[in-house]
Amino acid sequence: FYRIQAATDITKTPLPGAVVTVKVAYSVGEVLELFNGTTDRNGLCEAVFTLPSKAGSAVIILNVNHQQGAFETKALVARGSGR
């Protein structure tokens, strides 16, 4: 699992009620939602998800949306063919 904390940029004040989504995007254009949740009163969200067992490269996209703003980050992941 991943523990995600949503907080303001400067003061680091927790952002309760922020919507957290995690998606995986494959080079063939396929996008799958892996997780959707909301932060608690401390701005925390525990995201539990499993990557599909597809070989090749993909991008994990983390999105956090709150009335005070939005944040998105991406990370490249690669999975071997298992051979």
Side-chain angles (χ1 to χ4, degrees):
F1 76 92
Y2 295 89
R3 180 169 284 163
I4 299 162
Q5 182 172 30
T8 58
D9 215 14
I10 296 172
T11 64
K12 305 298 182 208
T13 304
L15 295 174
V19 176
V20 177
T21 57
V22 179
K23 297 179 182 180
V24 60
Y26 294 96
S27 58
V28 294
E30 182 181 14
V31 178
L32 302 172
E33 186 173 283
L34 303 176
F35 177 82
N36 188 321
T38 306
T39 58
D40 65 14
R41 65 187 178 122
N42 298 312
L44 294 172
C45 179
E46 288 188 2
V48 179
F49 59 90
T50 303
L51 288 176
S53 58
K54 284 184 141 184
S57 297
V59 174
I60 299 294
I61 305 163
L62 168 67
N63 241 304
V64 178
N65 286 295
H66 189 270
Q67 63 188 16
Q68 292 188 20
F71 171 82
E72 180 177 278
T73 190
K74 299 176 182 177
L76 182 63
V77 293
R79 178 172 262 172
S81 63
R83 296 182 200 172

